[in-house]
Amino acid sequence: MPKTNSFFAVDLGATSGRTIVGHLTDGKITLEELTRFDNRLIQTGGHVYWDIFALYDEVIRGLQKAAQRGINLMSIGIDTWGVDFVFVGDDGAILRNPLSYRDPHTVGVMDEYLRDVKPRQDVYHITGIQFMNFNSLFQLYAMRKADNSALRQASKILFMPDALSYMLTGEMVCEYTIASTSQMLNPRTRALDDSLLDSVGLNRNHFGRDVNPGTVIGTLTPEVQRLTGLGALPVVAVAGHDTASAVAAVPARDSGFAYLSSGTWSLMGVETPEPVICDRSYELNFTNEGGVEGTTRFLKNICGMWLYERSRKELPDAPASHSELLAEMVKQQAFRSLINPDDPVFANPPSMVTAIQDYCRHTQQPVPEDYAQICRCIFDSLALRYREVFTRLKEFAPFDIDVLHIIGGGSLNQYLNQFTANALGIEVLAGPQEATALGNIMLQARAAGEVSDIWQMRRIIADSITLRRFTPANLQEWDMAYEKYQSIVNLSSQ
């Protein structure tokens, strides 16, 4: 009879979360969703918080359901978004719900820190992390300036997945991939940097013990065992940053690949054995985040389907069906109107449709009027922006890139996948959609000794899913479109 090993994954995003069980049987992995829930922000006192206790309660609910179903779990792993953290007092109690990266307290603070405390180039050459005002370094600086009482009383600071693992086990850790998003970690030493910690009034003792992905943190506390009906299950530090877990699930056969984690936001990068930190990467604002087995995720954040999602809500005449809308979109004239999806005007405008139309007027292009033209503008422009980032990425990759793997929800978008293959001029392999959960679960399997390394993990995933293949076409047409795109981007900046 085939042997099945089951693993419990908690996958938390900035708007929702899920608990999922992965079943590993005879070299194949299948997923079973147990619960799904909202991750709601709390606004009070002029600040925006996450509800860490509600998230913990949802984890407990998922574990209870697994116990009621009689699923024989081997371990538990948690992944979340990056940069945010929880304060713990010297009595072990969580001091306050954690501030969200969406809180306005960091507005203008990054520029102040880089002007008055540590120069921008120095910070980049220590961390290799792209600059965003909500990075942990700048959040902590803002809190220190505001004399935040929770920070003042904090004995320990735990990043979000580590905080939830602490609530399950009583053990405090600082997992490598999630810490790498903070802009306080040196990827060369793989440790938090003393000078950056000191700049915000902290030291290494304020954080848990360092652990790498695939490390067993501890077991469920007696309290959690009573609440869930489970035994002393191991809790594993997976790749705590959700994108790190997703990249671990890229079903590649060898190292010569790039990846595009495609969803509301996109991340394009390569997996390198060492960080890539130099004047050129600083100029282009590429980032170096922690990966599995000592690798670095060298990548660029790109606007993704955010443009489409926002625009669709403003287009009452558009078909309700996503597939019908895209079928109408693809019939439109290609490259009639183009935008730079990462232009600041598209960050969070009152009207995305108006922002797109104004951009086209400013750059002296035909203005897209109906839903099909607007969507065609977005899809063409996203594919050309991917080409722009991919072209720069190839400057740094220590190998020839012969395939792009698209993972995440966007891997289901056949039109954008084909446009991307055309624009980049290389083969695109799309899938899996559930990359983050798969990476989380396979890292637990590695901790349990069921797989030996990341390449065996990837082989199992590749053998368990159906990849969709997109071959580049119309290359000359897309080359000409890219020249037009570059001219428009240059004109828009004037």
Side-chain angles (χ1 to χ4, degrees):
M1 186 173 180
K3 176 187 176 185
T4 297
N5 293 312
S6 300
F7 305 90
F8 184 91
V10 180
D11 178 22
L12 297 177
T15 57
S16 65
R18 299 174 302 162
T19 62
I20 300 170
V21 173
H23 304 287
L24 183 60
T25 308
D26 287 348
K28 297 286 182 69
I29 183 77
T30 58
L31 299 182
E32 177 185 2
E33 184 176 293
L34 292 181
T35 62
R36 182 180 288 266
F37 48 90
D38 291 335
N39 183 11
R40 293 187 177 91
L41 292 168
I42 300 170
Q43 297 188 40
T44 181
H47 289 290
V48 181
Y49 298 90
W50 301 110
D51 192 339
I52 188 71
F53 300 104
L55 294 175
Y56 165 79
D57 195 51
E58 291 291 354
V59 175
I60 296 297
R61 186 169 70 91
L63 290 170
Q64 289 171 336
K65 189 166 185 178
Q68 291 162 5
R69 294 267 303 277
I71 301 172
N72 185 25
L73 297 175
M74 292 194 71
S75 64
I76 299 161
I78 302 171
D79 66 76
T80 77
W81 67 97
V83 309
D84 288 336
F85 45 83
V86 171
F87 295 128
V88 180
D90 57 13
D91 61 352
I94 290 173
L95 294 177
R96 180 183 297 167
N97 264 329
L99 284 171
S100 166
Y101 69 87
R102 298 182 184 182
D103 188 275
H105 74 134
T106 57
V107 173
V109 167
M110 180 181 76
D111 292 337
E112 180 181 334
Y113 177 95
L114 298 172
R115 182 189 67 235
D116 297 341
V117 180
K118 222 173 196 31
R120 175 182 293 264
Q121 196 159 359
D122 290 357
V123 174
Y124 184 84
H125 281 284
I126 292 171
T127 66
I129 293 293
Q130 72 181 102
F131 290 93
M132 293 182 286
N133 73 314
F134 50 69
N135 287 347
S136 312
L137 176 66
F138 307 123
Q139 289 198 48
L140 288 162
Y141 181 68
M143 292 177 188
R144 184 67 70 189
K145 283 180 58 66
D147 194 27
N148 181 283
S149 60
L151 172 58
R152 191 181 340 120
Q153 298 297 324
S155 174
K156 283 288 190 286
I157 300 171
L158 303 177
F159 295 105
M160 293 298 288
D162 301 335
L164 288 163
S165 294
Y166 166 66
M167 296 172 81
L168 295 178
T169 67
E171 298 290 331
M172 299 188 188
V173 301
C174 183
E175 189 275 323
Y176 175 61
T177 68
I178 198 73
S180 75
T181 69
S182 67
Q183 204 156 40
M184 298 188 298
L185 183 139
N186 184 327
R188 299 182 185 91
T189 65
R190 297 173 58 83
L192 295 170
D193 181 79
D194 289 337
S195 69
L196 293 173
L197 294 179
D198 183 66
S199 74
V200 290
L202 299 173
N203 60 63
R204 183 61 191 80
N205 292 331
H206 282 99
F207 297 84
R209 72 180 190 274
D210 291 331
V211 296
N212 289 316
T215 301
V216 175
I217 298 170
T219 59
L220 295 180
T221 64
E223 178 185 42
V224 175
Q225 292 178 48
R226 288 193 301 272
L227 287 171
T228 60
L230 297 169
L233 275 178
V235 176
V236 176
V238 295
H241 187 214
D242 50 11
T243 306
S245 276
V247 172
V250 171
R253 298 296 183 179
D254 56 50
S255 60
F257 70 92
Y259 59 84
L260 177 65
S261 181
S262 177
T264 302
W265 304 103
S266 295
L267 300 98
M268 179 181 283
V270 292
E271 194 173 65
T272 61
E274 302 291 339
V276 181
I277 303 174
C278 58
D279 290 343
R280 180 63 172 160
S281 65
Y282 166 73
E283 175 191 349
L284 296 175
N285 206 22
F286 271 81
T287 201
N288 292 264
E289 295 176 353
V292 173
E293 296 183 2
T295 58
T296 293
R297 293 176 292 117
F298 182 72
L299 60 90
K300 182 78 170 176
N301 284 288
I302 311 169
C303 185
M305 295 303 290
W306 164 250
L307 295 161
Y308 171 75
E309 293 163 1
R310 278 287 307 274
S311 296
R312 192 178 180 197
K313 293 177 180 178
E314 301 176 31
L315 298 167
D317 59 333
S321 163
H322 174 73
S323 57
E324 288 180 28
L325 175 54
L326 296 188
E328 289 299 314
M329 175 276 298
V330 79
K331 296 176 185 176
Q332 301 303 305
Q333 178 185 341
F335 319 122
R336 177 177 179 268
S337 309
L338 298 172
I339 61 173
N340 174 9
D342 285 318
D343 192 288
V345 301
F346 303 122
N348 192 20
S351 166
M352 187 65 75
V353 169
T354 299
I356 291 170
Q357 292 173 331
D358 288 346
Y359 184 102
C360 292
R361 289 190 190 94
H362 174 67
T363 51
Q364 302 168 22
Q365 300 180 81
V367 176
E369 298 295 345
D370 61 25
Y371 65 84
Q373 289 180 349
I374 288 167
C375 290
R376 184 65 195 239
C377 170
I378 291 170
F379 277 52
D380 285 345
S381 301
L382 280 174
L384 291 167
R385 173 59 174 157
Y386 293 158
R387 172 167 174 167
E388 181 179 24
V389 173
F390 182 72
T391 300
R392 292 170 174 172
L393 192 62
K394 289 192 294 183
E395 294 180 34
F396 302 102
F399 45 76
D400 293 332
I401 303 172
D402 54 22
V403 64
L404 175 72
H405 283 272
I406 298 182
I407 56 177
S411 67
L412 300 179
N413 193 317
Q414 61 177 329
Y415 294 114
L416 184 56
N417 293 343
Q418 185 62 61
F419 288 3
T420 301
N422 297 348
L424 272 58
I426 64 168
E427 183 178 63
V428 164
L429 296 177
Q433 176 189 3
E434 301 287 358
T436 301
L438 284 167
N440 179 322
I441 288 160
M442 291 307 299
L443 282 163
Q444 293 184 60
R446 182 173 173 270
E450 297 299 318
V451 295
S452 58
D453 60 20
I454 192 171
W455 293 107
Q456 186 180 7
M457 289 166 46
R458 286 171 167 164
R459 284 194 297 273
I460 290 172
I461 292 169
D463 291 342
S464 303
I465 64 171
T466 300
L467 290 173
R468 293 165 296 281
R469 190 179 304 271
F470 298 87
T471 303
N474 306 322
L475 298 184
Q476 186 174 4
E477 178 183 352
W478 280 87
D479 285 344
M480 294 173 62
Y482 185 57
E483 291 180 6
K484 176 182 177 182
Y485 168 83
Q486 289 180 303
S487 298
I488 289 167
V489 170
N490 290 335
L491 181 59
S492 70
S493 64
Q494 296 174 4

